[in-house]
Amino acid sequence: MASEHFLIPRNITNVLRQVSYTGIIALGMTFVIIAGGIDLSVGSMIALIGVLVVMLLNYLGDGWTAVTLAIGASVVLGVIFGAINGLITVKGRVAAFIATLATMSVYRSLTLYISDAGEVVSRNTFYPEVGGGYWLSIPIPVWLFLGLAIIGHLILRHSAYGRHVCAVGSNAKVASYSAININRVYFLTFVIAGITVGIAAVMLSSRLNSVSPGDAGLFYELDVIAAVVIGGTSLSGGKGTIWGTVIGAIILGIINNMLNLLGVSPYLQGTVKGLVILIAVLMQFQKNRT
Amino acid sequence: MASEHFLIPRNITNVLRQVSYTGIIALGMTFVIIAGGIDLSVGSMIALIGVLVVMLLNYLGDGWTAVTLAIGASVVLGVIFGAINGLITVKGRVAAFIATLATMSVYRSLTLYISDAGEVVSRNTFYPEVGGGYWLSIPIPVWLFLGLAIIGHLILRHSAYGRHVCAVGSNAKVASYSAININRVYFLTFVIAGITVGIAAVMLSSRLNSVSPGDAGLFYELDVIAAVVIGGTSLSGGKGTIWGTVIGAIILGIINNMLNLLGVSPYLQGTVKGLVILIAVLMQFQKNRT
Amino acid sequence: MSKPQTALLELRHIHKSFGAVQVLHDINVSLVAGEVLGILGENGAGKSTLLKIISGIYHASSGEVCVDGKVVSIKDASSAKALGIAMIPQEFNLIPSLNVFENIFLGNELKRHGWLDKRTMREKTQSLMALLETQLPSDAMIEDLSVAQKQMVEIAKALVNDARILIMDEPTTVLTAQEADVLFALVDKLKAKGVTVLFISHKLKEVKRLCDRLLIMRDGEVVALEKVSELDEHDMARLMVGRELSQVFPAKTVGGQELALNVSGLTVPNLLSDINLQVHCGEVLGIAGLMGSGRTETAEAIMGLRKRSQGQIEVFGEVVNIKSLQDAVEHKLAYLSEDRQGSGLIMNFDLSENITLISLNKYKKGLIQHQKTRERAEHYRKLFSIKTETVSTPLVNLSGGNQQKVYLSKWMDTEPKILILDEPTRGIDVNTKKEIYHFIRELTEQGIAVIVISSEMEEVIGLAHRVMVMREGKVQGELCGADINEQQIMYLAAGLREQQDSNNAQGKRA
Amino acid sequence: AEYKVGVSVPSADHGWTAGLLWWAEKAVADYKAKGDEVEFYVVAASSGSKQVGDVEDLMIKGIDALVILPHNPATLQKVIEEAYGEGIYTVVVDRELETPAQNVFIAGDNAGLGRESGVWMAEQMKGKGKIVVLEGMSIPINKQRVDAFNEVIAKSSGIEILDSQPADWSTQKALAVMENFLQKHSHIDAVWCQDDDMLKGVMQAIKESGRTEIKTVLGGAGSKDIIKMVIDGDPVVRATVTYPPSMVASGIALAVTGIKGENLGDMYHTSPSRVILAAELVTKDNAEHFYVPDAAF
Ligand SMILES: Nc1ncnc2c1ncn2[C@@H]1O[C@H](COP(=O)(O)OP(=O)(O)OP(=O)(O)O)[C@@H](O)[C@H]1O
Ligand SMILES: Nc1ncnc2c1ncn2[C@@H]1O[C@H](COP(=O)(O)OP(=O)(O)OP(=O)(O)O)[C@@H](O)[C@H]1O
Ligand SMILES: O[C@@H]1[C@@H](O)[C@H](O)OC[C@H]1O
Ligand SMILES: [Mg+2]
Ligand SMILES: [Mg+2]
């Protein structure tokens, strides 16, 4: 019964689109986790950037120029909020999970404050086409997800920076004894994550043409971390691949889609997600052991 | 204007009561954090236990016996869910923050599933008196908070187990060289946290005589961790005090209360909480440096 | 070896390996009650490993431990404790956030009605401190204590159980002469009470003073087990080092004239004071000294890994300001650290990734040219005959010696002009050692200036044109030519003939 | 089955939405009892963005009609437009879209609820005193209610609105917000909270604070518990205004009628495009008439 619907092209595109928002962020998170960190603030950050971007859009008025400016702004905002996470973690020597737990709270609260907890709706008529549009019958966010994955892969596997990220996450001391500026490398992973959040914020807010500050991105950190971990990236850092993350995100999307099509209570999806994270982590531990 | 209201006894009792729910959990969290762990699942766990207890209560019918049984059950449930966290962390060698991030998702999702995301309302007429009652004009939850703090303090400072918790958090290797069963010690801190969550669940659910599965305990982990960290317990483990946590919880309550009286938007409270955690952690780092 | 009574502790055919590296080979010892056994050996000989097996921290790969004639299984620290075995480890083993008495009784707390009996614990602590002739409040926090005081707490912690077998791993390294005397007096008392003591030390004099018998180890094997009275300090040193040097070391080159590195007045607060050293092109400077003498710190301070408070560094006659490792690498310095796994290699990277980690910019044209990096790694694999299938093998799968060769390749790929090697042969077999020695010679032929820091006496002797001996963060003396021998180095390192040798060295340096 | 109908609602996070789900399931069960001509899929989402996914999944299942109570209308706007654009017979319940994209809209009279509440409140307060307001979620229907209420209150110059904050129609949030109000304002005469679930939280906060000056608390939507309080003569809670969650069941009926193109019951036309249910004031006088003891809300 599930499979009856599952393979129709429309469902596949759908799953891919649903997956692409957290998938894009998971690409950035892959860098953070490989470097030995974690970013719990991504869910709040997407809401904050989403709200700010839609407000900016409404301020700029209609037209494609406004849209282009807003997209640029969301990337810049991603850089800024990512840099804040990075700075606290690197300069303050605060464990990444506690630094980003704190900013998770701060970013969400600012989102609610700025929007007065009310939905922010864009009045730009072109904006919905950005995240809701298609190219060659494939949704734009899906293209973007794949494009960014390729860029991410190139950086991770084929650039010196990517090599350094792996080295820092594997053994920070060895990295610093290899003339690598570990603080810079670690800091930049948070900026990269911020950029992907910025891009995902555009996709999400333009798809819905609005942002609901209370629940936009709520619990995204779970989906994102799950995608990365299912993709084989070790939570203790040092190794992982972008393609693993892409596959992890898609697997997660398929699981959710199957559960939905099978009529399993949507409330159990959180259980599945939690268990999937645990199993992935435990399997990694098992593997490392042998 | 703020101070005008602040010192009236009623306001003080009020702040103490507001603080007691997360304060009680913070007592348990103090053990977890001193041992070098963290428990992000407490907010979901309080919702899950709350829902189960109210359901049990409705099954048992009216009367004090039912209430007593339900209270016992909530403590047992706390032990079980805490033990699950502990087992995953200890046996699976999973970092506590990721294990409890996963169970946070699982517990919340089970809460929603069991209750079908609907509010669960108790039909027991005595239950509200448990958390809503007074003794010597002081609310019951406040008495309980203080009583548990005393017990917590005795265990932490005056029992061998308490010493072992500090030792494990300070340097697990040294602790195991000192013939301490570090797994057992670490595991039990999660159980202790679970017990405090169980108790807080009774206080919270009896207060409204109902539990709203989606938002009960949402973001409690932030308040709880903030209280512990403000109280001077080091997030890297090894040292901390129960009285510090009690004071931390009260300070947090006073800050919220002040913000309120000053008319600051409630949405900004999350920002304050996040910043307070960051400042507390950064100050500890500063202190350790000198 | 006479056995007047039944053995209290007996080790039979103990073997131990970590992965592929065999650290202990067939160790057999038998000790009676009240005996003090000294254990001597070079760094990495396996002394600590042996004692950790007895105290339950490591498990022997094969062999038996017997206590009171019965084979026992020592699973962990608590089963060792139950057998009356206590250990004062080489590294500090105290919880900094707990106070003195809490540490002494950690895992062993005294209770009354289930709660801690702090009063009795404080009292017992005081009497232990009295026994150790140490003034130390029982409520002092460990983090506030001096190194020697901490050591006293360690000792008290080992004593509190009324141990029958007491293991001390270099307990006196951080004690002053007076403090050490208190400890020795205490050991005498314990001995009289029938406690068996195993005692590791690099200080030959104190071993002579304290022990009944000596176990001398080399490369994980027992080379001698003798009564102390039958050995003098020279015998001990000979037995410890005891290898024919001729085949292993290549003949030394002449050594160059051009000054490559000139360090003057190098000071790092609390660790190093006023270090002066020079190396010429094509020359090998050896740095010898005991553990903690500051050799590693010297190298790290030169390389910008430690903040120096004073000192000037000249590279090829030019004063340079090295603030970070990046700066040092830019000035063609290289530093092979002593901790291969901890700070040298990324274990889950493969050969080519490790070898090109520092020199990656050479292989970049926008993106990394992986083929080029692999070719380069292949070059080193051949050059050093690194034993591995391909250059894509992760480092974990290589033996220690081969890892060391990869580490060396990694630094060679930066094309250094000045190379500092810290314990370059730690934990590797004789053959690999030989290969590395020959390679060092080749480097000097190419005019590269080399500094070799080593705790293996023969290595320094076999390689260096000049040897600088350090002690307690200072240069204790410098030797060259025929003066480079075990005795001279030992004496300088241990501060035995300070007067004479420092005069000697001063003369040389001038 | 000949027809497939998808029903998408927010999860039962408070009494009213619980009632909503109960009515949706009841309507479905009633249809099932009649035969298997229509197949239903009922899904509940805990947030607006999850509901978008729900609707996408329903579309995959090839539904002919969609009955939806949008969590927050702006978030759901696009996806509902997509469904409607594909020719799916769309019934929007309760929370209206900014740009209409439906065959039928059915809701209560939100402005009417605010107005009725304001009028009753002003009358009870005899034109003077201090009010605090607990609002619902920041979505259009909340604004319609609050605006209407404020408009009426503004006519009584003696009444001051001290504070007005959202509590999302949730009991728990209302407790927290009311606690804050009680700390902030030393004297409060009346509370308006536009939802009976929030009223429970408000009452608990008042009880715990020990404050006695609050003489009037008005909720809304007409839950059976509150109606019972009115019947029993509670001194503070003396009224409520209806906003029945059964509107979703009617929405389902309208959808089924709509896809079949049949006439509505005994009426002479098919499903109307707009149905607004009046907001009625419930007081002790008429409460018995609205009291359904076995209802879910
Ligand atoms: N955990 C370990 N894993 C792998 N190798 C180890 C481990 N511990 C020790 N070794 C190796 O075993 C050998 C013996 O080490 P051990 O610590 O016993 O030497 P030691 O004689 O005590 O030296 P020192 O005088 O420097 O203390 C060394 O080559 C060391 O590198
Ligand atoms: N002030 C000190 N307090 C405690 N321990 C110290 C102190 N100074 C040095 N040590 C110990 O000595 C160790 C070795 O120091 P260092 O690396 O300078 O010695 P080294 O001469 O290179 O000897 P080796 O490499 O053979 O151990 C340090 O890592 C530390 O454990
Ligand atoms: O959930 C809301 C309910 O609580 C309110 O009273 O009416 C409108 C609904 O959407
Ligand atoms: Mg040793
Ligand atoms: Mg060294």
Side-chain angles (χ1 to χ4, degrees):
Chain A
M1 184 209 143
S3 51
E4 163 199 343
H5 300 299
F6 182 70
L7 281 176
I8 59 174
R10 165 116 186 241
N11 186 43
I12 294 175
T13 346
N14 220 1
V15 170
L16 284 178
R17 195 206 352 240
Q18 281 175 12
V19 141
S20 63
Y21 310 107
T22 48
I24 289 172
I25 303 176
L27 300 176
M29 184 73 91
T30 308
F31 284 85
V32 177
I33 292 182
I34 291 181
I38 192 95
D39 188 345
L40 300 179
S41 75
V42 290
S44 302
M45 204 196 287
I46 200 175
L48 180 52
I49 298 180
V51 163
L52 289 172
V53 158
V54 171
M55 285 179 149
L56 178 71
L57 213 49
N58 287 346
Y59 171 80
L60 291 175
D62 211 353
W64 276 111
T65 326
V67 171
T68 317
L69 282 174
I71 294 175
S74 71
V75 174
V76 172
L77 288 170
V79 169
I80 294 172
F81 298 133
I84 292 175
N85 285 335
L87 272 183
I88 299 171
T89 315
V90 169
K91 286 279 159 197
R93 312 276 165 96
V94 177
F97 86 87
I98 197 79
T100 56
L101 190 71
T103 54
M104 166 174 114
S105 169
V106 172
Y107 295 161
R108 177 68 65 188
S109 134
L110 291 179
T111 312
L112 291 168
Y113 179 66
I114 292 171
S115 63
D116 222 348
E119 246 181 328
V120 182
V121 184
S122 142
R123 289 189 301 267
N124 189 301
T125 45
F126 298 91
Y127 195 49
E129 285 175 43
V130 177
Y134 287 78
W135 189 58
L136 307 177
S137 338
I138 304 226
I140 305 272
V142 176
W143 282 115
L144 213 60
F145 180 30
L146 293 181
L148 288 171
I150 292 171
I151 295 175
H153 172 75
L154 286 177
I155 296 177
L156 188 62
R157 296 291 307 162
H158 300 281
S159 84
Y161 176 72
R163 189 61 60 77
H164 292 173
V165 169
C166 297
V168 167
S170 251
N171 190 328
K173 194 165 169 212
V174 172
S176 75
Y177 272 70
S178 304
I180 294 172
N181 185 338
I182 54 173
N183 283 345
R184 182 178 148 270
V185 170
Y186 195 40
F187 168 80
L188 283 179
T189 60
F190 289 96
V191 174
I192 293 176
I195 293 174
T196 56
V197 174
I199 295 169
V202 171
M203 290 301 117
L204 196 68
S205 61
S206 62
R207 157 92 179 114
L208 303 173
N209 207 24
S210 68
V211 181
S212 144
D215 56 60
L218 207 61
F219 294 119
Y220 265 30
E221 62 280 1
L222 275 173
D223 290 66
V224 168
I225 294 170
V228 176
V229 175
I230 299 169
T233 296
S234 152
L235 263 178
S236 44
K239 51 186 163 186
T241 62
I242 288 290
W243 297 122
T245 299
V246 171
I247 291 169
I250 293 175
I251 289 178
L252 209 61
I254 292 176
I255 294 176
N256 279 346
N257 185 251
M258 284 288 190
L259 292 177
N260 266 347
L261 295 181
L262 287 171
V264 174
S265 160
Y267 303 125
L268 283 181
Q269 292 189 0
T271 304
V272 172
K273 224 166 280 168
L275 292 179
V276 158
I277 292 185
L278 281 180
I279 291 167
V281 177
L282 290 175
M283 267 171 32
Q284 282 180 4
F285 168 62
Q286 229 43 40
K287 211 176 60 191
N288 286 348
R289 228 185 188 175
T290 53
Chain B
M1 184 210 145
S3 52
E4 165 200 343
H5 301 302
F6 183 69
L7 281 175
I8 59 174
R10 204 162 55 203
N11 188 40
I12 294 173
T13 338
N14 242 341
V15 170
L16 283 178
R17 188 196 1 241
Q18 279 173 22
V19 140
S20 62
Y21 308 100
T22 48
I24 288 173
I25 303 175
L27 300 175
M29 184 73 90
T30 307
F31 283 85
V32 177
I33 292 182
I34 292 181
I38 192 92
D39 188 346
L40 299 179
S41 75
V42 290
S44 301
M45 203 196 285
I46 201 174
L48 179 52
I49 297 180
V51 162
L52 290 172
V53 159
V54 171
M55 285 180 149
L56 178 71
L57 214 49
N58 287 345
Y59 172 81
L60 291 174
D62 213 353
W64 276 112
T65 327
V67 171
T68 317
L69 282 174
I71 293 175
S74 71
V75 173
V76 171
L77 289 169
V79 169
I80 294 172
F81 298 132
I84 292 174
N85 285 335
L87 272 183
I88 299 170
T89 315
V90 168
K91 286 280 159 198
R93 312 277 166 95
V94 178
F97 87 88
I98 199 78
T100 57
L101 189 71
T103 55
M104 167 174 115
S105 169
V106 172
Y107 294 161
R108 176 69 64 187
S109 134
L110 290 178
T111 313
L112 291 168
Y113 179 66
I114 293 170
S115 62
D116 226 346
E119 224 186 346
V120 183
V121 184
S122 140
R123 290 189 298 268
N124 190 300
T125 46
F126 298 90
Y127 195 49
E129 286 176 42
V130 176
Y134 288 78
W135 189 58
L136 306 178
S137 338
I138 304 225
I140 306 268
V142 176
W143 282 116
L144 214 60
F145 180 30
L146 293 181
L148 289 171
I150 292 171
I151 296 175
H153 172 76
L154 285 176
I155 295 176
L156 189 62
R157 296 290 307 163
H158 299 280
S159 82
Y161 175 72
R163 304 293 72 208
H164 296 175
V165 170
C166 297
V168 167
S170 199
N171 189 328
K173 199 170 155 202
V174 171
S176 78
Y177 284 6
S178 302
I180 292 172
N181 184 338
I182 54 172
N183 283 345
R184 184 180 146 269
V185 169
Y186 195 39
F187 170 79
L188 283 180
T189 61
F190 289 95
V191 174
I192 292 177
I195 293 174
T196 56
V197 173
I199 295 169
V202 171
M203 291 301 117
L204 196 70
S205 60
S206 63
R207 188 179 183 202
L208 276 177
N209 211 20
S210 69
V211 181
S212 147
D215 19 85
L218 208 60
F219 295 119
Y220 265 30
E221 62 280 0
L222 276 174
D223 290 66
V224 167
I225 294 171
V228 175
V229 175
I230 298 170
T233 295
S234 152
L235 262 178
S236 44
K239 51 184 162 190
T241 62
I242 289 289
W243 297 123
T245 298
V246 171
I247 290 169
I250 294 175
I251 289 180
L252 210 60
I254 291 175
I255 293 177
N256 279 346
N257 187 248
M258 284 289 190
L259 289 178
N260 234 327
L261 296 182
L262 289 171
V264 175
S265 158
Y267 300 126
L268 283 181
Q269 293 192 1
T271 303
V272 173
K273 224 166 279 167
L275 292 179
V276 158
I277 293 185
L278 281 180
I279 292 168
V281 176
L282 290 175
M283 267 171 32
Q284 282 180 5
F285 168 60
Q286 230 43 42
K287 210 176 61 193
N288 286 349
R289 228 186 189 176
T290 53
Chain C
M1 272 178 284
S2 56
K3 275 188 199 168
Q5 52 193 101
T6 54
L8 174 60
L9 175 70
E10 194 181 349
L11 306 179
R12 295 185 193 143
H13 307 294
I14 298 285
H15 290 258
K16 173 70 186 173
S17 31
F18 290 106
V21 186
Q22 182 139 27
V23 175
L24 296 176
H25 310 261
D26 197 28
I27 308 289
N28 293 285
V29 192
S30 168
L31 297 172
V32 295
E35 189 175 12
V36 180
L37 179 75
I39 303 179
L40 283 180
E42 292 180 298
N43 290 131
K47 307 178 295 288
S48 299
T49 306
L50 181 64
L51 298 194
K52 283 181 182 170
I53 286 173
I54 303 173
S55 54
I57 291 164
Y58 291 161
H59 300 167
S61 308
S62 67
E64 290 170 345
V65 180
C66 304
V67 173
D68 291 328
K70 283 191 285 287
V71 177
V72 292
S73 135
I74 308 176
K75 291 191 303 289
D76 51 21
S78 25
S79 45
K81 194 168 86 179
L83 291 164
I85 300 171
M87 171 147 175
I88 303 169
Q90 189 168 4
E91 310 84 28
F92 282 120
N93 230 348
L94 301 170
I95 303 285
S97 58
L98 297 183
N99 63 29
V100 168
F101 85 85
E102 289 169 331
N103 264 287
I104 289 177
F105 286 90
L106 187 63
N108 211 12
E109 291 81 2
L110 304 181
K111 290 177 219 169
R112 260 181 67 189
H113 314 303
W115 299 107
L116 292 177
D117 183 359
K118 296 194 181 180
R119 181 142 56 91
T120 316
M121 287 193 280
R122 285 195 179 96
E123 282 166 10
K124 286 210 172 186
T125 300
Q126 280 314 318
S127 52
L128 277 169
M129 286 302 149
L131 190 68
L132 292 169
E133 297 178 32
T134 304
Q135 297 286 333
L136 206 54
S138 47
D139 282 301
M141 295 305 283
I142 294 298
E143 43 201 0
D144 301 330
L145 301 186
S146 73
V147 174
Q149 286 172 323
K150 283 183 196 162
Q151 183 67 307
M152 288 302 175
V153 177
E154 285 273 17
I155 294 166
K157 185 177 169 186
L159 292 179
V160 78
N161 281 325
D162 295 323
R164 299 153 68 208
I165 299 167
L166 180 61
I167 297 171
M168 301 191 194
D169 196 349
E170 305 192 26
T172 56
T173 354
V174 293
L175 299 185
T176 64
Q178 290 96 313
E179 288 162 338
D181 283 337
V182 175
L183 179 67
F184 298 154
L186 183 79
V187 170
D188 288 336
K189 266 190 230 167
L190 293 172
K191 180 178 153 76
K193 278 169 64 183
V195 176
T196 295
V197 179
L198 289 93
F199 185 88
I200 298 184
S201 175
H202 288 289
K203 299 180 184 169
L204 309 183
K205 263 200 175 147
E206 73 186 32
V207 173
K208 184 103 186 132
R209 141 86 175 78
L210 199 63
C211 304
D212 301 312
R213 281 197 296 162
L214 271 183
L215 175 72
I216 302 182
M217 297 178 67
R218 191 194 314 139
D219 288 346
E221 288 182 65
V222 176
V223 291
L225 182 56
E226 306 267 355
K227 283 223 171 66
V228 165
S229 50
E230 323 221 312
L231 298 168
D232 63 18
E233 286 172 32
H234 292 270
D235 297 330
M236 293 180 200
R238 179 179 48 78
L239 283 164
M240 271 166 66
V241 177
R243 210 182 286 115
E244 289 304 321
L245 306 181
S246 53
Q247 319 103 326
V248 184
F249 292 95
K252 288 181 194 173
T253 55
V254 189
Q257 290 307 309
E258 195 194 345
L259 189 57
L261 178 70
N262 185 5
V263 176
S264 47
L266 186 69
T267 301
V268 174
N270 302 326
L271 289 171
L272 300 176
S273 57
D274 192 29
I275 306 286
N276 297 295
L277 65 83
Q278 291 88 32
V279 212
H280 298 87
C281 293
E283 184 191 35
V284 178
L285 171 73
I287 303 182
L290 295 179
M291 187 198 102
S293 56
R295 299 163 300 169
T296 299
E297 278 83 354
T298 304
E300 290 180 343
I302 294 172
M303 296 300 291
L305 287 161
R306 267 178 201 279
K307 230 182 158 146
R308 47 181 198 276
S309 60
Q310 264 164 38
Q312 178 176 295
I313 299 171
E314 274 173 49
V315 176
F316 294 105
E318 187 194 331
V319 178
V320 295
N321 183 12
I322 296 174
K323 292 190 304 293
S324 67
L325 188 60
Q326 285 91 321
D327 295 339
V329 171
E330 223 154 81
H331 289 105
K332 293 289 168 201
L333 271 78
Y335 169 56
L336 188 94
S337 87
E338 62 186 327
D339 188 0
R340 177 171 68 224
Q341 302 211 350
S343 54
L345 298 167
I346 306 269
M347 295 321 253
N348 61 328
F349 275 23
D350 67 20
L351 268 72
S352 59
E353 288 167 336
N354 267 297
I355 290 173
T356 57
L357 187 58
I358 309 174
S359 51
L360 204 53
N361 283 335
K362 289 202 297 193
Y363 306 94
K364 239 171 50 181
K365 249 201 195 150
L367 299 177
I368 299 171
Q369 297 169 294
H370 295 285
Q371 189 51 35
K372 265 187 149 180
T373 66
R374 276 192 291 269
E375 279 162 12
R376 195 63 192 159
E378 193 60 41
H379 161 78
Y380 287 108
R381 190 173 79 96
K382 295 218 182 77
L383 181 69
F384 291 127
S385 40
I386 300 171
K387 288 192 199 78
T388 167
E389 292 290 298
T390 71
V391 293
S392 314
T393 316
L395 260 275
V396 248
N397 299 343
L398 267 61
S399 79
N402 286 301
Q403 287 177 1
Q404 188 73 2
K405 291 177 181 177
V406 174
Y407 191 19
L408 192 57
S409 311
K410 171 176 167 179
W411 275 110
M412 291 320 299
D413 204 46
T414 66
E415 298 163 26
K417 299 226 168 71
I418 300 161
L419 177 62
I420 306 176
L421 305 169
D422 195 354
E423 309 286 1
T425 62
R426 186 170 270 183
I428 64 182
D429 63 66
V430 181
N431 191 43
T432 310
K433 276 186 189 172
K434 194 172 137 185
E435 288 172 20
I436 288 178
Y437 298 150
H438 283 262
F439 181 69
I440 291 172
R441 186 197 138 104
E442 277 169 39
L443 291 179
T444 56
E445 279 169 1
Q446 293 163 24
I448 293 177
V450 181
I451 297 176
V452 175
I453 299 172
S454 177
S455 302
E456 284 192 50
M457 210 80 76
E458 57 163 11
E459 196 163 282
V460 180
I461 296 166
L463 290 172
H465 295 94
R466 284 183 297 129
V467 174
M468 182 176 108
V469 184
M470 293 188 64
R471 183 175 162 75
E472 290 169 354
K474 295 191 193 71
V475 178
Q476 185 80 4
E478 203 174 289
L479 307 165
C480 63
D483 280 346
I484 304 180
N485 61 50
E486 293 147 33
Q487 268 189 13
Q488 295 290 343
I489 296 174
M490 254 312 178
Y491 289 153
L492 277 174
L496 282 179
R497 273 191 224 150
E498 197 163 354
Q499 196 73 36
Q500 176 200 330
D501 281 305
S502 53
N503 285 343
N504 200 356
Q506 233 138 32
K508 292 248 156 62
R509 230 188 303 166
Chain D
E2 213 169 313
Y3 302 108
K4 292 181 183 170
V5 176
V7 182
S8 170
V9 294
S11 50
D13 49 9
H14 64 284
W16 193 88
T17 38
L20 187 82
L21 194 59
W22 186 84
W23 278 107
E25 275 159 359
K26 179 174 160 57
V28 167
D30 290 350
Y31 268 106
K32 280 227 181 88
K34 281 185 221 159
D36 54 4
E37 190 188 14
V38 188
E39 190 180 343
F40 290 95
Y41 309 103
V42 182
V43 288
S46 53
S47 76
S49 28
K50 291 229 180 65
Q51 199 176 13
V52 172
D54 281 358
V55 176
E56 284 171 351
D57 286 339
L58 287 173
M59 281 155 71
I60 305 264
K61 289 190 173 159
I63 50 169
D64 304 291
L66 172 68
V67 180
I68 182 165
L69 193 154
H71 211 289
N72 20 22
T75 302
L76 273 296
Q77 174 85 41
K78 274 220 73 177
V79 79
I80 295 176
E81 273 173 19
E82 275 167 27
Y84 181 60
E86 272 181 26
I88 294 174
Y89 192 90
T90 305
V91 179
V92 173
V93 184
D94 173 27
R95 305 179 186 179
E96 192 166 15
L97 300 178
E98 198 178 49
T99 317
Q102 76 257 346
N103 302 81
V104 183
F105 174 64
I106 175 168
D109 181 0
N110 286 296
L113 183 144
R115 217 176 302 117
E116 285 290 335
S117 302
V119 169
W120 183 81
M121 190 71 112
E123 178 197 301
Q124 296 291 313
M125 295 175 73
K126 306 209 171 60
K128 61 174 196 300
K130 293 176 173 168
I131 306 185
V132 292
V133 176
L134 288 90
E135 302 183 23
M137 282 168 62
S138 302
I139 56 173
I141 58 167
N142 171 63
K143 195 167 170 342
Q144 290 160 18
R145 294 175 183 184
V146 175
D147 287 351
F149 179 83
N150 289 348
E151 205 176 297
V152 175
I153 294 297
K155 288 182 192 147
S156 318
S157 56
I159 301 183
E160 184 193 352
I161 297 179
L162 292 171
D163 224 325
S164 186
Q165 279 180 18
D168 300 358
W169 296 310
S170 138
T171 313
Q172 199 182 304
K173 289 209 182 104
L175 171 69
V177 171
M178 191 62 202
E179 265 182 338
N180 288 352
F181 283 168
L182 287 163
Q183 282 170 14
K184 219 161 129 183
H185 307 291
S186 51
H187 185 92
I188 299 169
D189 293 299
V191 184
W192 179 54
C193 61
Q194 69 158 262
D195 184 279
D196 288 343
D197 274 299
M198 293 202 284
L199 183 139
K200 291 180 193 166
V202 166
M203 295 307 285
Q204 178 71 10
I206 295 173
K207 192 182 116 196
E208 286 176 358
S209 74
R211 296 256 291 253
T212 51
E213 84 276 13
I214 302 168
K215 297 287 184 271
T216 308
V217 178
L218 176 63
S223 90
K224 65 171 185 201
D225 293 345
I226 305 308
I227 294 178
K228 184 82 176 38
M229 284 171 89
V230 174
I231 292 173
D232 293 349
D234 189 285
V236 176
V237 181
R238 301 184 297 276
T240 184
V241 183
T242 58
Y243 196 89
S246 57
M247 61 179 71
V248 74
S250 303
I252 291 170
L254 291 166
V256 174
T257 319
I259 34 177
K260 290 187 187 162
E262 288 172 352
N263 279 359
L264 191 63
D266 292 337
M267 297 176 104
Y268 290 88
H269 51 80
T270 58
S271 293
S273 63
R274 202 170 173 85
V275 180
I276 302 299
L277 309 163
E280 296 182 64
L281 182 69
V282 181
T283 60
K284 198 160 180 171
D285 304 333
N286 62 355
E288 290 290 354
H289 172 66
F290 291 94
Y291 187 54
V292 186
D294 54 348
F297 175 68

